[in-house]
Amino acid sequence: MSEPSPSAAPHLRRLFDLLADDAPAEALGAVSSQARGDGVAAGELAEVERATATALRIRGALRQHRRRELQLTALFDTAGDLAASRDLDDVLKAIVRRARMLLGTDTAYLTLPDEEAGDTYMRVTDGSVSLLFQRLRLELGEGLGGLVAQTASPYASPDYRTDERFRHTRNINAGVLDEGLVAILGVPLLLGSSRGGTGKVIGVLFAADRAPRVFSPDEVALLCSLAAHAAIAIDTARALADTTSALAELAEANAELAEANASVRAHSAAMRRAEESHDRLTDLVLRGRDVKDVAAAVAGLLDSPLTIHDPGGRLLAAVRPDGTGFAADSMDAGWLAEAAEESRTGARAVHREGRVVCAVLAGQELLAGLVLHRGRQLDDSDRRLFERSAVVTGLLLLLRRTVAETENRIRGELIADLLTDTGRDPAGLAERGRRLGIDLDRPHLLLVAETGARERLAPAAMRYLFGGGIHGVSAEHAGAVVLLIEAGGSGPAAGAAARSAAAQLGQLAQAPVTVAATGPARGPQELAAAYAEAARCLRAMRVLGRTGEGACVDELGFLGVVLGNGQDVDGFVSATLGPLLEYDAQRGTHLVRTLGAYFGAGGSLIRAKDELHVHVNTVVQRLDRIQVLLGRDWNEPDRALELQLALRLHLLSGTPDR
C-alpha cells in the first residue's frame, strides 16, 4: 500500500511566515520548489504555486506602500529641517544632501543664478569628486540645467552624453565627463508659482548617477516636491539673513548714536519679540499643529480676535485672544480678494473697515487671508509680527497641501481601479480602501465633473476637498474628474452636493464646471454602477445645454429616469428608428436628420428646409420615404412622441447623424 502524498499545508504556512518576516522574493519562490521536491500531489502543488504568486504580489504591494510612506516621511522631515535652518549655506547643503538621499543617486547638486554675470553657477554639491565640475558655469539655455532654468520645467536624461535635446558646450561636457555623470535629472526651484502659471526660477536642483538610469515619474515628482520646499526655505533663509543684517546695522547705529540709544534698544527688543514669535509659530508647524493652533498663538500675541479664511472667503479658523473659538461667518470673497491684493501689492498688512488683513501667499498664489478684528492700527513691531505669522501660516498650508496631494494621488489609484475593474477583486478593493482610510462599505456620493479648462480642474478638485474640510478623494478618469465623498447622516443629497460642487469648483478653476452626482452608494459594485449612472447624467446635461450646472439623474425629468434606470436605450432607439437608420447607412441619405428637423420646426416644411439647407420639395420627398419606411401613422400624436423621444435618445447616445 503506497504512502499518502505529503500535505501542502506546511508549505502554505511557510509562505505566511516568510511574508510576515519580509523575506526576499527568492525565499518565497523557493517554497513551491520545496513542495515539488517533497512530492506534494499535483493538485495541491498547483495551490502552493498560486499561493506563492499571490504572496509575491502582496510582498510587492507592501514594499511599494512602505516606500511611499518613507518618501512622505522623508519629505515632511525635510520640510521641518529646512524651516528650522537659518543660515543660507546650511539650507542649501541640507537641500542637496536630502535630494541625494531621497533618490539614492551618486551625486546631487544645486545651481543658482548670478545676477551680475548673467549666468548660473554651481553653488553646492554632494557626492562630487571633480573640481572642474564643481566650478562649472552655465549660460541660460545651455545643457540640461540651462534648459530647466529657461523653461521652468523638469528635464531628465537617462544618458546625457548622447541626448540631443540639450545644447551641449565644451566646458559642460568636460565637467560632466570629468565627474563621470551619465543619468541626470534637473528640476526648477520656483518662487511665485501657482496652479495657473509659472513663477521666478531661483535655481535648479539636480540628482545624477554615474550609470544609465531612467528616472520614474514618481522620482521626478518627489524631487519637484523637495524643490518646492527648498525654494520657500531659501527665500525664508534670505529673509532671515536680511533681518539679521538689519539687526547688526541697528546695533552698530546704537553704539555710534548714544542719544538714540533708548530708541534703538526698543526697536531691537521689538525685532527680538518678532523673531521669538516667529520661532514659536514655526515650532507649532514643526510639531504638526493645526491652522487653528497658529491662529490661537497670533490672537494671543496681538490680543485681538483672529479669523483665517480661504481665497473663497470660507472660514478656516476663528479664535479669541484667550484661545477659545467663536462663531464667525464666511467673508465676502470679493472684499477679501481686494484686501489681499492691496496687501500683496504693498507687501504688508493693510487696515480696512476696522480689520487688519494680511495676505497668505505662496509667490503670487493666494492661499488664505489673515483677518485681525481690531479698530486701531498695529504699530510697526506688531505689524511685522502679524506679517511673519502670515509667512508661517503659508508654510503650514503648503505642507498640508503637499501631504494631502500626495495622499490623494495614492488614493486616486484606488478610485481608478474601482471604476475600471470592479469584478476583479471587490474584497481586495475594499481592503485597500480601509488601509488608505476610505471605508467603501460606508455610503458615499459619487460626483463626475468636467470643464473646458481640463488642466485646472484636478487641482481645483484637490483644493475643494482640502480647503473645505470635505472627507473624500478625487481622481482623473476618462477625461473627467471623479470625486468620492463620504455621505454623512445629515449631509446634502446628490443634487445639492452637485450644485455646491459645480459652484465652488467653477470659482476655483475660473471656468464653468458641470457636475453630475449619484448616490449614496456603498461597496465596489454599487459605486461602479453609480459612476456609470453619473457619466450618463453628465452626458445628458451636456446635450440639454446645462453646462456649468450641477444635478443628479432624478432632476433630469423623463430622460433622467430612462438613463438612471439603465433601460435598454439602444434597443428602444433601434426598434423605433431602425428602418431609417438602416436606410441611411445603406444609401448615405439623411432621413433621420430630416425627421429631427421636421419635428424641431413644429411640423413646418418651410422652417425644416431652412434648417436642412435644401429645397422644400426635397423635404417633402424625404418625408414620403419616411412614411413608406415607418407607416402612415408616423405623424400621429402617440407615434410622433415615441419618434421624438427616440431621436433625443439617439442624440444622447453620441452616434453622429448620417
Side-chain angles (χ1 to χ4, degrees), residues 40-59:
V40 174
E44 294 193 353
L45 180 61
E47 290 296 328
V48 173
E49 291 174 344
R50 283 193 290 272
T52 300
T54 301
L56 288 170
R57 288 198 302 275
I58 293 173
R59 178 183 179 276

Side-chain angles (χ1 to χ4, degrees), residues 125 127-135 174-180 210:
T125 64
S128 172
V129 295
S130 167
L131 187 61
L132 176 63
F133 180 77
Q134 295 166 15
R135 293 177 176 175
V176 170
L177 180 63
D178 197 50
E179 186 64 48
R210 296 188 176 92

Side-chain angles (χ1 to χ4, degrees), residues 96-391:
V96 173
R97 185 170 55 253
R98 194 57 67 94
R100 183 184 178 197
M101 181 196 73
L102 286 177
L103 270 70
T105 54
D106 294 328
T107 182
Y109 50 98
L110 185 146
T111 61
L112 293 180
D114 187 332
E115 302 292 346
E116 295 183 1
D119 61 5
T120 59
Y121 65 102
M122 196 74 67
R123 181 67 168 80
V124 179
T125 64
D126 190 84
S128 172
V129 295
S130 167
L131 187 61
L132 176 63
F133 180 77
Q134 295 166 15
R135 293 177 176 175
L136 271 181
R137 301 188 75 92
L138 297 81
E139 297 291 339
L140 188 64
E142 288 184 353
L144 185 147
L147 190 59
V148 171
Q150 186 179 49
T151 62
S153 301
Y155 279 89
S157 175
D159 189 346
Y160 175 79
R161 303 174 189 177
T162 61
D163 201 327
E164 299 299 329
R165 292 178 297 165
F166 312 109
R167 183 153 60 93
H168 294 263
T169 63
R170 180 179 301 174
N171 67 321
I172 295 178
N173 287 346
V176 170
L177 180 63
D178 197 50
E179 186 64 48
L181 299 182
V182 177
I184 304 176
L185 166 63
V187 300
L189 275 64
L190 292 172
L191 272 184
S193 61
S194 65
R195 294 293 178 184
T198 301
K200 177 182 178 182
V201 178
I202 65 169
V204 179
L205 179 61
F206 299 86
D209 264 338
R210 296 188 176 92
R213 170 178 176 175
V214 176
F215 292 96
S216 69
D218 284 344
E219 290 174 324
V220 176
L222 182 61
L223 196 61
C224 286
S225 296
L226 178 60
H229 293 309
I232 296 173
I234 290 173
D235 193 49
T236 302
R238 287 174 174 171
L240 289 174
D242 292 342
T243 302
T244 302
S245 177
L247 285 171
E249 293 175 3
L250 286 174
E252 182 180 353
N254 184 46
E256 295 176 353
L257 303 172
E259 65 274 12
N261 192 36
S263 174
V264 172
R265 281 199 303 269
H267 188 74
S268 297
M271 293 293 289
R272 285 195 300 273
R273 174 173 176 259
E275 188 171 348
E276 291 169 358
S277 301
H278 182 273
D279 291 343
R280 177 181 172 186
L281 295 173
T282 302
D283 183 62
L284 290 175
V285 176
L286 296 179
R287 288 191 286 119
R289 305 305 291 269
D290 201 330
V291 174
K292 294 180 180 178
D293 298 308
V294 175
V298 177
L301 289 168
L302 298 178
D303 194 29
S304 298
L306 177 77
T307 56
I308 303 179
H309 304 263
D310 72 3
R314 290 182 297 179
L315 185 69
L316 300 179
V319 186
R320 295 188 180 92
D322 60 2
T324 60
F326 66 95
D329 296 329
S330 296
M331 188 160 290
D332 178 70
W335 185 91
L336 181 64
E338 290 179 3
E341 177 60 22
E342 184 180 349
S343 171
R344 184 194 65 79
T345 304
R348 60 185 298 162
V350 297
H351 192 273
R352 269 187 157 218
E353 301 176 12
R355 289 173 283 195
V356 186
V357 181
C358 190
V360 179
L361 301 169
Q364 298 301 311
E365 180 186 2
L366 179 65
L367 299 178
L370 298 187
V371 181
L372 199 66
H373 299 263
R374 58 186 291 165
R376 64 189 185 281
Q377 297 217 20
L378 296 171
D379 59 31
D380 286 344
S381 63
D382 283 348
R383 177 182 55 78
R384 283 193 294 270
L385 191 156
F386 189 46
E387 291 165 356
R388 282 174 178 250
S389 69
V391 174

